[in-house]
Amino acid sequence: MLPSSLRTVLRWTAPLLLAAASFHAAAQAGTTLRIGFQKSASLLTYQKSNGSLEKRLAPLGVAVKWVEFPAGPQLLEGLNVGAIDVGFVGEAPPIFAQAAGARFVYIGFDPAAPEAEAIVVPKDSAVKSVADLKGRKVALNKGSNVHYLLVKALEKQGLKLTDIQPVYLPPADARAAFERGAVDAWVIWDPFLAAVEKQSGARLLQDGRGLVNNYAYYLAERGFAEKSPQVIQALFDDTQTQAIALKANLKAAAAVIAPLQGLEPDVVEKSLSRYQFGVKPLTAQVAAEQQKIADTFHGLGLIPKAIRVADALPTGAKVANAAR
């Protein structure tokens, strides 16, 4: 049975409670839920593979369309231009997107997974600590969750982004640059992290533990969130059910996911072990942590203006004041 906390998702949009009370009245026959995902989002990849969400939404007359993106920033662009209705990304992309004027709302989050992102170097690298990165080339996907990890890791050593040479590349290009020695380090998330550790012997320099939370967020186009609470609830119900099944048997889930991600099952299993799954409504604490990231990026000049995370929360969300 779905945890009671997840049933509160509908309460975030208080003006829609009367409509939500009537399941059939709000069913949107003939519509399509367009989900933006990345292959690295293992749970969504698992859901896509088994068709569980399609079966759950069929009684509402809602079809499902899966739209793949290489990383979070590109997914947010898709959400902003109306190519998708719902997406799943890390901490940083929503902040960059909100600063650029994107129209979306946070509708849920997954638990912290600080071990699922890290700074890695080649196994024979002379770099032994984050401090040794000074003046060196570091690859990362600009505006992704690892952007914040790099900032915090450097900060802990008394360094700034200007003390290194950031090389902004999407995961596939970054992996190629890393393996041919064009960059000295790579900041990346799972399952790409697990893959490069196993396949290239990459050495972990620093993961997120003690530095970042590495939450992941479910986002929706604001109009869709306001008009389709039942569809969002069905998505979350299915996500929770599939998360329980996945965690109950990581090996079996990895065997399903691996060929879809183009990875070996043991790599995927390692990646899955470092993630926590189970979508929940935003809490005041999580919203406040997201605001800290936004303030940090603004202070560093990474986003052009200060933003209020509260402005991207659903109408009536009780955590709004906690996020300024």
Side-chain angles (χ1 to χ4, degrees), residues 30-43:
T31 63
T32 299
L33 169 62
R34 301 168 300 167
I35 303 176
F37 79 109
Q38 307 162 55
K39 276 187 178 177
S40 60
S42 296
L43 179 55

Side-chain angles (χ1 to χ4, degrees), residues 38 40-41 70-76 88-97 106 110-119 139-154 161 168-171 186-193 206-209 211-217 219 271 274-276 289-290 292-294 296-297 300 302:
Q38 307 162 55
S40 60
Q74 294 90 333
L75 188 153
L76 262 296
F88 179 74
V89 295
E91 295 166 321
I95 291 169
F96 282 87
Y106 292 86
D110 268 358
E115 295 178 69
E117 61 177 359
I119 304 170
L140 70 149
N141 195 88
K142 187 175 184 179
S144 66
N145 56 332
V146 296
H147 208 142
Y148 188 58
L149 169 61
L150 179 60
V151 167
K152 298 305 288 185
L154 292 171
L161 276 176
Y168 296 120
L169 296 169
W186 184 21
V187 199
I188 190 57
W189 59 88
D190 272 321
F192 305 110
L193 171 59
Q206 173 73 64
D207 64 19
R209 286 176 292 183
L211 291 175
V212 298
N213 293 304
N214 191 27
Y215 290 118
Y217 292 99
L219 311 174
S271 169
R274 294 195 284 217
Y275 277 111
Q276 301 302 315
E289 289 297 319
Q290 188 72 341
K292 287 181 183 178
I293 299 175
T296 297
F297 283 171
L300 293 170
L302 294 175

Side-chain angles (χ1 to χ4, degrees), residues 123-176:
K123 58 183 177 182
D124 56 354
S125 173
V127 174
K128 303 301 180 184
S129 69
V130 174
D132 294 337
L133 293 176
K134 186 174 182 178
R136 297 179 183 267
K137 294 180 179 179
V138 181
L140 70 149
N141 195 88
K142 187 175 184 179
S144 66
N145 56 332
V146 296
H147 208 142
Y148 188 58
L149 169 61
L150 179 60
V151 167
K152 298 305 288 185
L154 292 171
E155 184 180 275
K156 186 177 180 180
Q157 300 300 321
L159 300 175
K160 301 177 181 178
L161 276 176
T162 52
D163 291 318
I164 65 166
Q165 299 180 56
V167 180
Y168 296 120
L169 296 169
D173 294 338
R175 169 81 182 255

Side-chain angles (χ1 to χ4, degrees), residues 21-284:
S22 175
F23 178 86
H24 293 292
Q28 299 181 9
T31 63
T32 299
L33 169 62
R34 301 168 300 167
I35 303 176
F37 79 109
Q38 307 162 55
K39 276 187 178 177
S40 60
S42 296
L43 179 55
L44 287 180
T45 298
Y46 185 63
Q47 285 175 270
K48 180 178 182 292
S49 71
N50 62 29
S52 59
L53 183 58
E54 285 83 348
K55 295 173 185 176
R56 191 179 291 266
L57 286 174
L60 280 75
V62 178
V64 179
K65 180 180 180 181
W66 299 86
V67 184
E68 185 181 336
F69 293 88
Q74 294 90 333
L75 188 153
L76 262 296
E77 290 176 13
L79 187 65
N80 193 41
V81 300
I84 57 174
D85 305 304
V86 172
F88 179 74
V89 295
E91 295 166 321
I95 291 169
F96 282 87
Q98 189 178 349
R103 189 172 182 269
F104 67 89
V105 290
Y106 292 86
I107 55 174
F109 79 102
D110 268 358
E115 295 178 69
E117 61 177 359
I119 304 170
V120 293
V121 295
K123 58 183 177 182
D124 56 354
S125 173
V127 174
K128 303 301 180 184
S129 69
V130 174
D132 294 337
L133 293 176
K134 186 174 182 178
R136 297 179 183 267
K137 294 180 179 179
V138 181
L140 70 149
N141 195 88
K142 187 175 184 179
S144 66
N145 56 332
V146 296
H147 208 142
Y148 188 58
L149 169 61
L150 179 60
V151 167
K152 298 305 288 185
L154 292 171
E155 184 180 275
K156 186 177 180 180
Q157 300 300 321
L159 300 175
K160 301 177 181 178
L161 276 176
T162 52
D163 291 318
I164 65 166
Q165 299 180 56
V167 180
Y168 296 120
L169 296 169
D173 294 338
R175 169 81 182 255
F178 180 80
E179 293 187 335
R180 69 172 182 268
V183 296
D184 300 292
W186 184 21
V187 199
I188 190 57
W189 59 88
D190 272 321
F192 305 110
L193 171 59
V196 77
E197 284 180 298
K198 183 179 188 298
Q199 297 165 356
S200 298
R203 176 163 47 86
L204 192 148
L205 197 65
Q206 173 73 64
D207 64 19
R209 286 176 292 183
L211 291 175
V212 298
N213 293 304
N214 191 27
Y215 290 118
Y217 292 99
Y218 288 84
L219 311 174
E221 191 276 324
R222 184 177 288 275
F224 182 85
E226 293 173 350
K227 296 174 184 176
S228 308
Q230 288 86 358
V231 176
I232 292 173
Q233 185 66 48
L235 168 63
F236 286 177
D237 287 350
D238 188 67
T239 298
Q240 186 70 10
T241 298
Q242 299 307 312
I244 292 170
L246 184 153
K247 277 296 189 179
N249 196 334
L250 291 183
K251 189 173 293 294
V256 172
I257 296 168
L260 301 174
Q261 293 181 331
L263 298 171
E264 299 167 17
D266 57 341
V267 169
V268 176
E269 186 175 354
K270 181 176 183 179
S271 169
L272 293 175
S273 72
R274 294 195 284 217
Y275 277 111
Q276 301 302 315
F277 302 106
V279 60
K280 300 178 181 178
L282 262 68
T283 65

